[in-house]
Amino acid sequence: MHLGLWGIPHLAEPAQTCVTELVSNVIRHVGELTPTTLTVSMNGTFLRLEVQDPDTRALPTLLAAGPDAEGGRGMALVDAAADRWGVILRADSKVTWCELATGLTAADGHVGHPGVTRAEALLGLYGSVRHPAGTPRTRLTVATAQESVIAVITDLLLWLRAHGCDVDEALDRAQGHLDVVT
């Protein structure tokens, strides 16, 4: 997961634990070849992890497994690692989710970094949807913002190429800067 890009690299280990346990539950209780979808997103100042599978009967349960039990600790691990978790039942599937507090202070879940502020100003010029404090970020608005980011990057790369610069070198240098910042 690219949690460093979101300013929350400290959540990598608990997020990996939660994903491992949620997916393991599907494999163990529904079946190895079950189609499963993992969604990772920000929900305000929480990292949200969702695992969707087609079986509405096999619901995750928080058990008190004994010391000699071979299983039954998965949701206890999720409960310990996450700040909250639950299940959403749909007509043809279920979504088991958990959320981890990020420690970010901004209501929109952004990192208070000057680069993020500059990027938002630039995206505003490209017509990206802005998220005033307290407004929910939907997948549609996030997808729109992502398309704006791609348009900005493409235009900047075209500008570099038009001025005789090596685009690959610029991307490598940008990656190096990003690695330092995150």
Side-chain angles (χ1 to χ4, degrees), residues 155-167:
D155 287 352
L156 292 172
L157 293 174
L158 286 169
W159 185 91
L160 285 170
R161 183 179 289 159
H163 288 84
C165 298
D166 183 349
V167 172

Side-chain angles (χ1 to χ4, degrees), residues 30-106:
V30 183
E32 286 186 26
L33 300 177
T34 302
T36 306
T37 303
L38 170 65
T39 304
V40 180
S41 61
M42 292 293 291
N43 182 18
T45 58
F46 287 87
L47 174 68
R48 185 173 177 97
L49 308 168
E50 297 179 351
V51 174
Q52 180 177 341
D53 70 77
D55 192 336
T56 59
R57 296 167 293 144
L59 299 177
T61 307
L62 184 59
L63 301 174
D68 296 330
E70 290 185 22
R73 292 182 186 82
M75 290 311 295
L77 287 170
V78 171
D79 190 61
D83 291 279
R84 52 192 180 208
W85 67 272
V87 179
I88 301 168
L89 289 175
R90 297 187 174 143
D92 60 346
S93 66
K94 75 173 174 290
V95 176
T96 307
W97 60 269
C98 66
E99 292 183 341
L100 291 80
T102 62
L104 299 174
T105 55

Side-chain angles (χ1 to χ4, degrees), residues 18 47 62 106 117 126 128:
C18 290
L47 174 68
L62 184 59
T117 304
Y126 270 72
S128 175

Side-chain angles (χ1 to χ4, degrees), residues 90-154:
R90 297 187 174 143
D92 60 346
S93 66
K94 75 173 174 290
V95 176
T96 307
W97 60 269
C98 66
E99 292 183 341
L100 291 80
T102 62
L104 299 174
T105 55
D108 60 7
H110 286 174
V111 179
H113 187 279
V116 173
T117 304
R118 287 191 306 268
E120 286 194 344
L122 182 59
L123 289 172
L125 297 173
Y126 270 72
S128 175
V129 177
R130 299 201 63 167
H131 303 283
T135 351
R137 295 175 62 201
T138 66
R139 289 181 189 183
L140 180 60
T141 58
V142 170
T144 302
Q146 186 175 13
E147 289 304 315
S148 293
V149 168
I150 292 167
V152 168
I153 293 169
T154 302

